[in-house]
Amino acid sequence: MEQKSVRESVVSTWINDVTPSLSGLIAIPALSPAFDADWASTGHLAAAVQHVKSYLEGRDLPGARIEVVELEGRSPLLFVDVPATPGATDKGTVLMYGHLDKQPPVGGWSEGLDPWTPVIRDGRLYGRGSVDDGYSGYAASAAVEAVHAAGGEHARIALLLETGEESGSPDLPAYLEHLSGRLGEVSLVVCLDAGGMDYDRLWLTTSLRGMVHLTVTVQLLATAQHSGLASGVVASSFRILRQLLERIENAETGEIKLSELNVEVPASRLAEIEAVAEVAPEALRTAFPLVSGGKTVSEDALELLLNNYWRPTLSIIGGEGLPRPAEAGNVLRQSTTLTLSFRLPPTADAEDALAAIKRALTTDVPYGAKVTIAEDQQAENGWNAPEEAAWLTDALRRVDDEVFGRPHRAAGMGGSIPFMGLLGEKYPEAQFLVTGACGADSNIHVPDEWLNLDYAQQVTEAVAHLLDAHARS
């Protein structure tokens, strides 16, 4: 395809159509089901789906079928089915993915900004869900329109926009099973829920960490006791829990000790990470708002990238049993509860990891304390991309030259996208293009979330070229 036509189509669509409609989507407080137990009655998820559906119905997507799919008891999904162009009817299905549900608003937005009020400043579109991941359906449709405008080709497109990603995509497997007969043979997966270190080049995500979540309670006393009378005789439940955690994590270094949670980094991924360290040596070290004088766990860029992409970590994300300081009396509490969140290497087995963690927490417990692990445990595998096909390598080089003017980079991501692991298992022969407009400073999940509009347009251009290249492969 001729680059000038692609760019003109994308830019025009984004300025005249996408940005106004995306702004309207931001205004809908479509919290993910995990954050809105009454989502079915509040109707915000349904409103978000209808908003995007109405937009897509007005676009030039020849032969497209656009429908809301809603299985009983599950949050809705928007399914867009666009037939292949005449020259690409034998290229299988391109499965494109995004989500419309959002994280909670969170307080502390800057003056003049609000999670549900779209604001454009200096080329940034602010608002919850702007970059995570409201823009994705718009970018996907704009890319398909650009292919048509430039006389290109594309295989059959199946766009899935779910409404439960921020809750761990609990309903997505059921929808994939429900739609499996209609999806056909998926040969390319395009996920637009990622990004990279800067806005200067295309970033590909080639691995995602898995995760294990569990809540553990340690109890030694049947009832709380006066700390002056019982301390030194009865161990603190907090200290016992600290001892158990030390079996799993080196408190000084953060290293996870259990072999089931550690893997060897593949040589190809290590080479990618080394290349990222060269072009963005300060990206992770400066990405997060540390207190004055605060430091990251290492000054070395490569170590930080390996830690974030391929090494297991433990974060304590919740607790119970500790009173607020103003209410704390001289009491030896009967129990301590902590919620543990582990991030796993992309190729680690999450179920094996969970079993190893539970063994470490429940075997030979000090002082005979009672350990209870709550039933709501999570164990999700990560994802490691398949080897890149020659056509995709060639197409990416063209995108590098014509769209961004510099080489793309591929890297892992410390977070999880459950959809990718699921699709990796379901479509092992497919190629995967996991990219997006999110930058290291896009503030997803926190105050002042924003979308870089110019970069989002470039990503859209890149996707259009890659769809055409896939159709001609």
Side-chain angles (χ1 to χ4, degrees):
M1 293 188 303
E2 194 273 315
Q3 167 60 15
K4 184 174 181 290
S5 298
V6 173
R7 176 160 296 173
E8 288 177 349
S9 174
V10 168
V11 171
S12 174
T13 300
W14 265 91
I15 291 175
N16 297 321
D17 305 303
V18 171
T19 301
S21 185
L22 177 55
S23 297
L25 180 63
I26 288 171
I28 302 172
L31 294 183
S32 196
F35 308 106
D36 180 9
D38 298 323
W39 61 268
S41 57
T42 57
H44 297 313
L45 290 176
V49 169
Q50 286 296 329
H51 180 86
V52 178
K53 179 175 182 285
S54 296
Y55 171 85
L56 294 174
E57 287 173 338
R59 307 310 302 166
D60 184 17
L61 301 171
R65 294 178 57 188
I66 304 168
E67 63 181 291
V68 179
V69 183
E70 190 163 9
L71 299 177
E72 185 176 357
R74 302 185 185 278
S75 62
L77 176 143
L78 185 59
F79 179 43
V80 183
D81 188 346
V82 184
T85 54
T89 56
D90 61 343
K91 296 300 180 180
T93 299
V94 178
L95 182 55
M96 305 186 77
Y97 168 81
H99 66 89
L100 301 175
D101 57 314
K102 306 178 185 183
Q103 282 278 322
V106 184
W109 287 63
S110 298
E111 184 177 356
L113 300 179
D114 178 86
W116 313 128
T117 303
V119 173
I120 296 178
R121 290 182 183 172
D122 301 321
R124 300 178 173 188
L125 175 57
Y126 288 88
R128 179 63 82 230
S130 57
V131 68
D132 184 26
D133 184 39
Y135 85 96
S136 60
Y138 295 99
S141 64
V144 174
E145 290 184 67
V147 171
H148 286 273
E153 302 278 357
H154 66 74
R156 179 193 175 206
I157 306 292
L159 172 62
L160 301 182
L161 299 175
E162 67 155 318
T163 56
E165 193 275 343
E166 300 293 2
S167 302
S169 298
D171 298 335
L172 195 55
Y175 279 115
L176 285 176
E177 181 63 27
H178 178 71
L179 295 169
S180 60
R182 298 172 61 183
L183 293 177
E185 186 62 35
V186 175
S187 55
L188 174 63
V189 175
V190 179
C191 173
L192 293 171
D193 193 21
M197 299 291 187
D198 58 38
Y199 304 105
D200 298 326
R201 71 194 78 238
L202 184 69
W203 287 88
L204 306 183
T205 298
T206 52
S207 66
L208 298 160
R209 287 197 290 184
M211 65 177 180
V212 166
H213 284 188
L214 71 160
T215 298
V216 57
T217 299
V218 171
Q219 181 179 0
L220 188 54
L221 286 166
T223 58
Q225 298 294 310
H226 189 298
S227 61
L229 299 177
S231 61
V233 178
V234 179
S236 161
S237 60
F238 187 86
R239 178 164 71 86
I240 296 171
L241 191 43
R242 284 169 54 202
Q243 289 178 268
L244 295 175
L245 292 178
E246 184 61 32
R247 298 175 178 181
I248 298 171
E249 179 197 44
N250 183 319
E252 183 175 345
T253 65
E255 177 187 359
I256 300 299
K257 301 176 180 180
L258 304 180
S259 61
E260 292 85 350
L261 277 69
N262 287 276
V263 304
E264 183 176 351
V265 182
S268 60
R269 297 294 175 244
L270 181 59
E272 289 177 352
I273 295 170
E274 289 172 341
V276 171
E278 290 180 6
V279 300
E282 299 296 313
L284 284 183
R285 200 170 65 82
T286 60
F288 306 105
L290 303 177
V291 299
S292 177
K295 299 179 180 179
T296 52
V297 299
S298 173
E299 297 292 311
D300 184 84
L302 182 59
E303 283 299 300
L304 292 178
L305 291 166
L306 286 169
N307 284 348
N308 193 243
Y309 299 164
W310 278 89
R311 289 173 181 159
T313 58
L314 167 61
S315 300
I316 308 299
I317 62 171
E320 192 173 0
L322 291 165
R324 293 183 299 178
E327 299 169 354
N330 292 322
V331 174
L332 191 64
R333 297 171 298 100
Q334 64 193 62
S335 67
T336 300
T337 298
L338 294 178
T339 298
L340 315 180
S341 177
F342 294 86
R343 292 292 175 168
L344 306 177
T347 55
D349 186 293
E351 291 293 343
D352 287 350
L354 174 60
I357 294 165
K358 291 167 70 173
R359 282 195 301 271
L361 293 172
T362 58
T363 304
D364 297 326
V365 179
Y367 308 108
K370 178 184 177 182
V371 175
T372 304
I373 297 177
E375 294 183 1
D376 57 341
Q377 305 154 24
Q378 287 182 267
E380 296 179 1
N381 288 329
W383 170 77
N384 188 35
E387 183 177 351
E388 193 174 279
W391 72 262
L392 182 54
T393 300
D394 292 342
L396 286 168
R397 287 173 180 159
R398 181 181 177 190
V399 165
D400 292 344
D401 293 339
E402 296 189 2
V403 179
F404 293 92
R406 64 188 67 197
H408 72 279
R409 285 291 178 262
M413 189 167 78
S416 303
I417 305 176
F419 177 72
M420 299 314 302
L422 180 65
L423 284 187
E425 293 179 4
K426 193 171 183 65
Y427 303 111
E429 302 302 317
Q431 287 288 288
F432 281 75
L433 179 73
V434 182
T435 187
C438 181
D441 58 350
S442 292
N443 293 342
I444 63 171
H445 296 196
V446 297
D448 297 355
E449 177 182 342
W450 62 279
L451 172 69
N452 184 314
L453 291 169
D454 287 343
Y455 186 66
Q457 293 173 29
Q458 287 184 294
V459 170
T460 304
E461 287 182 48
V463 171
H465 283 291
L466 294 168
L467 291 176
D468 181 69
H470 167 259
R472 299 176 190 276
S473 64

